[in-house]
Amino acid sequence: MNAPAVINFSPAAKSAPPLPEARWSVAAVEALLDLPFADLMAQAMAAHREHQPANQVQLSTLLSIKTGGCPEDCGYCPQASRYDTGVTSQALLPLEEVVAAARAAKASGATRFCMGAAWRGPKERDLEPVLGMVREVKALGLETCATLGLLKDGQAERLKDAGLDFYNHNLDTAPEIYGDIISTRQYQDRLDTLGRVQHAGLSVCCGGIVGMGESRLQRAGLIAQLANLDPYPESVPINNLVQVEGTPLHGTEALDPFEFVRTIAAARITMPKAMVRLSAGRQEMGEAIQALCFLAGANSIFYGDKLLTTGNPDAQRDRALLDKLGLKVAG
Ligand code: SAM
Ligand code: DTB
Ligand code: SF4
């Protein structure tokens, strides 16, 4: 029998050593995305099995602690006040409501609880109550995550001291198309926040959105950008755009689902030790594509019937899918 196809984890294995500042060139990631589907899947599965427990999925539950009324202009987001999406601005949730939601998430099997706020970033008066939420959620024995927007100096440290484990802040797109999607803050602002998060000793959760009309090359650009963060993020959420009426990106041609699977595979190969989260867009995806995403190396999902403002498969359906695939929930 012939030897199995050689699986190269490093794009540099056959050429010169990689530059320290860019372990993955955009071209190398694009070359992965261009592979025959089965070859890409074989590489991704091998990377997954080498670096992650096979057949294991981590469950994170999201809660929008401050919904709507956001001053930013992210073209995908139903919570931007300037778009007429039917999402109304609400006050920060009371502490008891957040703790009750976290308790329910834990009871249904989630191990991480992520609190999201529709802010450009937290004002000082906003941060204090969020610290209380972090403390109480942590005390329940859950991993804590928050996504509050851009952080100023010192805020990441205060979140860390309160017991925050992860901070989610996405790059969202490749740098060259960022300005077409968002104008109210720059790519560099996001990198600065990620630097503050890392400096404070928080774990970084950072990913992006696909299906916004980008090309394959631009998807490669996003993955390369994430993979070249030093170190690359511990968690990498890959979102498929949830198209919400009223947002500028509503009506964008839907991404071919196999392209989504390819993006997950490229994330797994380039960031083998990260938790790669199959994030927004699962409700529209169907079980077969989700199963391919798990094969491609996704090992985390958002769990619970709501993301922030849009729907997610209900917990029972997700449990049934995991059972069918023989996937165990990470404890
Ligand atoms: N306001 C904060 C910020 O933008 O960083 C935190 C909350 S924001 C809703 C968190 C992330 O949700 C965004 O960075 C984006 O990746 C994702 N997101 C928002 N709207 C989405 C949509 N319609 N489809 C997919 N992902 C979306
Ligand atoms: C992430 O990457 N995706 C989540 C979480 N991090 C905060 C948010 C998805 C939001 C989808 C649109 C909505 O429900 O409002
Ligand atoms: Fe605001 Fe975040 Fe939505 Fe952008 S993604 S509009 S910052 S809530």
Side-chain angles (χ1 to χ4, degrees):
M1 203 176 113
N2 289 337
V6 174
I7 291 164
N8 264 321
F9 293 110
S10 160
K14 287 193 266 178
S15 56
L19 296 171
E21 69 273 16
R23 288 169 302 126
W24 285 91
S25 66
V26 175
V29 179
E30 192 191 24
L32 287 176
L33 293 176
D34 284 346
L35 283 171
F37 189 71
D39 291 353
L40 175 59
M41 292 295 278
Q43 276 207 46
M45 286 167 73
H48 191 186
R49 279 163 185 263
E50 182 176 340
H51 295 279
Q52 302 285 340
N55 304 313
Q56 195 166 297
V57 173
Q58 181 246 17
L59 306 180
S60 290
T61 292
L62 271 175
L63 177 69
S64 180
I65 59 168
K66 160 69 186 83
T67 302
C70 185
E72 300 296 284
D73 72 349
C74 311
Y76 44 78
C77 185
Q79 302 200 68
S81 62
R82 67 190 72 201
Y83 309 136
D84 188 10
T85 63
V87 174
T88 52
S89 180
Q90 288 161 36
L92 187 66
L93 290 182
L95 175 65
E96 316 78 67
E97 220 171 294
V98 175
V99 175
R103 209 172 267 127
K106 186 176 182 193
S108 67
T111 55
R112 191 179 300 176
F113 190 71
C114 180
M115 294 161 270
W119 290 323
R120 172 179 168 83
K123 301 197 173 69
E124 278 311 299
R125 67 166 186 275
D126 298 324
L127 195 62
E128 208 52 52
V130 174
L131 299 178
M133 295 172 188
V134 170
R135 277 187 212 104
E136 300 264 336
V137 173
K138 182 76 179 168
L140 297 175
L142 284 158
E143 285 185 322
T144 52
C145 177
T147 181
L148 314 172
L150 300 172
L151 295 180
K152 297 186 198 69
D153 277 343
Q155 292 185 321
E157 282 76 6
R158 291 170 65 196
L159 286 161
K160 169 83 182 164
D161 290 346
L164 192 71
D165 298 307
F166 287 80
Y167 194 80
N168 165 248
H169 196 61
N170 292 337
L171 290 177
D172 278 331
T173 73
E176 65 274 19
I177 53 166
Y178 183 86
D180 300 336
I181 311 279
I182 302 156
S183 77
T184 49
R185 53 181 158 174
Q186 310 306 312
Y187 214 74
Q188 188 58 48
D189 296 328
R190 294 192 182 242
L191 292 168
D192 291 347
T193 285
L194 292 170
R196 291 186 175 106
V197 168
Q198 197 189 326
H199 188 255
L202 289 164
S203 294
V204 173
C205 172
C206 181
I209 311 178
V210 297
M212 298 197 292
E214 74 285 341
S215 64
R216 186 181 267 183
L217 178 64
Q218 290 162 343
R219 279 188 290 283
L222 168 65
I223 297 295
Q225 196 72 33
L226 294 167
N228 290 327
L229 292 173
D230 186 17
Y232 60 74
E234 279 97 335
S235 280
V236 181
I238 304 292
N239 296 277
N240 200 12
L241 175 69
V242 179
Q243 297 205 14
V244 179
E245 211 172 323
T247 58
L249 288 174
H250 181 251
T252 305
E253 193 184 340
L255 184 68
D256 182 308
F258 294 111
E259 284 296 316
F260 186 82
V261 179
R262 284 177 181 276
T263 310
I264 296 272
R268 169 53 66 221
I269 293 164
T270 56
M271 295 170 273
K273 292 192 163 65
M275 302 301 292
V276 174
R277 184 168 309 114
L278 165 54
S279 300
R282 281 198 305 119
Q283 198 167 36
E284 296 75 26
M285 212 168 266
E287 292 193 337
I289 294 296
Q290 291 184 64
L292 284 176
C293 289
F294 294 128
L295 281 181
N299 59 351
S300 171
I301 56 172
F302 284 126
Y303 177 68
D305 58 6
K306 210 166 168 196
L307 292 164
L308 292 173
T309 64
T310 64
N312 197 43
D314 67 49
Q316 234 180 335
R317 234 179 92 191
D318 275 343
R319 287 285 185 173
L321 176 61
L322 298 183
D323 279 352
K324 263 195 269 191
L325 300 175
L327 291 167
K328 298 271 174 293
V329 172

